[in-house]
Amino acid sequence: MILAVILLVSGLVALTLGADRFVLAAGRLARIWGLSPVLIGALVIGLGTSAPEMLVSALAAGRGEIDIAMGNVVGSNVANMTLVLGAAALIAPVSSRVHTIRREGFAMAGGLLLLSVLLWNLELVRWEAAILIAGMLAVGVVLVAWARDDAAKGRLPEEHRVPWRGSVRLEALIGVATLGITLLGADLLVRGASDLAHRAGISAAFIGLVIVSVGTSLPELATALAAARRSESDLVLGNVLGSNLFNSLAVAGTAGMVGPGVVDATFRNALGFMVVTGIIAGIFARTGRIERWEGLVLLAVFLGFVVLVA
């Protein structure tokens, strides 16, 4: 039991530190290449902060722990829309252009619904996983098109019009090194979580939906809080929307290809809660601004999710 806890904590620490520096390197490379906030927030940072979910879910699925793999995906989506977005709104109201929220918001909603439909029968097979991956590729093309459109119409914030004057080679090397640390942390986290679930008699579904998902959402939380402190709300929303897109399509699809299988019946409640959470967050964001009191509501919704799956 003690060893399992040590592995779990060590994995969380390595995962958080590695992913945080990986995101920084990815963001700087994006600035060097002059990419737009849409691509930085939704693709670059969204992909970077979803790297822990991708690695953890793939490793868990490969070890036959499909409940942990899918629980990580669903739980991380809920945590991003409640814990991450709510905490950022408490620091400073989160605002963004309404057209950006609508575009990426509808894309994220489509990803959540597709995952829910395919997983509703409590099983994910490889052809369904292939649909999710194809969906991610299609969404990626659309996001790039939106980014180019934003750049062409001069929608870049002032700070993103000036490229980062750093070294591409250095940031690329740092990115590769920190990705390796993230991989190590993911492996330790999966081993610790699996062992803890078996020894303590805790369901693997709860471990995946709450403990592992919150752990792998720490990079999103750290990124969102830092962006909120710098008043970069576009990055906060882009991070959440992009991460949920990757989780629902790329992460779930990859895990399904590596280790398809049957999940616990608890997932139907969790999937329904995930969709409802997306609706609540969408209602709050529809005006282009999430106030502090709405952030408190989102945090309360997260606590409700923990109680639901306990």
Side-chain angles (χ1 to χ4, degrees):
M1 179 73 74
I2 295 177
L3 179 59
V5 173
I6 291 175
L7 288 174
L8 186 66
V9 173
S10 299
L12 286 174
V13 171
L15 200 61
T16 303
L17 295 177
D20 181 65
R21 193 56 186 82
F22 174 67
V23 169
L24 182 59
R28 286 178 175 175
L29 287 172
R31 293 284 295 277
I32 289 172
W33 293 322
L35 301 179
S36 76
V38 172
L39 214 58
I40 293 172
L43 273 182
V44 179
I45 295 181
L47 172 61
T49 55
S50 288
E53 283 91 340
M54 173 72 80
L55 296 172
V56 167
S57 289
L59 288 170
R63 291 166 57 88
E65 298 283 358
I66 188 67
D67 280 338
I68 290 180
M70 291 298 106
N72 181 36
V73 170
V74 176
S76 291
N77 284 346
V78 174
N80 287 341
M81 294 183 290
T82 55
L83 178 62
V84 174
L85 199 54
L90 283 184
I91 291 178
V94 177
S95 60
S96 184
R97 299 173 183 85
V98 174
H99 82 278
T100 300
I101 295 175
R102 288 177 178 172
R103 289 187 322 188
E104 296 180 40
F106 279 123
M108 183 197 74
L112 296 180
L113 288 173
L114 180 58
L115 174 63
S116 299
V117 169
L118 294 179
L119 201 56
W120 193 254
N121 64 349
L122 304 178
E123 183 180 16
L124 188 66
V125 296
R126 283 198 171 91
W127 69 266
E128 293 172 321
I131 290 177
L132 293 173
I133 293 175
M136 184 67 249
L137 294 175
V139 170
V141 171
V142 172
L143 288 177
V144 171
W146 285 344
R148 289 177 176 174
D149 183 61
D150 283 346
K153 294 180 179 179
R155 292 175 180 161
L156 293 178
E158 186 64 33
E159 63 271 19
H160 291 284
R161 297 177 187 176
V162 180
W164 178 270
R165 300 300 181 184
S167 168
V168 174
R169 180 177 298 178
L170 176 61
E171 293 301 329
L173 288 174
I174 292 174
V176 171
T178 50
L179 184 60
I181 296 174
T182 304
L183 177 59
L184 174 62
D187 184 56
L188 292 175
L189 183 62
V190 170
R191 291 177 183 274
S194 301
D195 196 24
L196 184 63
H198 294 150
R199 292 179 181 276
I202 303 173
S203 72
F206 178 80
I207 291 288
L209 285 166
V210 177
I211 298 177
V212 174
S213 67
V214 171
T216 56
S217 291
L218 290 178
E220 283 93 337
L221 180 59
T223 301
L225 294 179
R229 288 195 301 270
R230 294 193 301 266
S231 299
E232 295 188 9
S233 296
D234 277 332
L235 292 184
V236 174
L237 286 168
N239 180 24
V240 170
L241 295 172
S243 293
N244 280 10
L245 267 174
F246 278 103
N247 289 343
S248 301
L249 301 176
V251 176
T254 301
M257 293 296 289
V258 172
V262 177
V263 298
D264 189 85
T266 309
F267 274 86
R268 279 189 177 155
N269 290 335
L271 289 168
F273 198 99
M274 179 182 71
V275 173
V276 171
T277 300
I279 294 173
I280 294 173
I283 291 173
F284 286 167
R286 75 188 187 284
T287 61
R289 183 180 175 90
I290 299 178
E291 303 291 349
R292 285 189 172 90
W293 72 266
E294 293 171 323
L296 282 173
V297 172
L298 291 174
L299 291 176
V301 172
F302 174 73
L303 293 178
F305 175 71
V306 175
V307 172
L308 175 70
V309 300

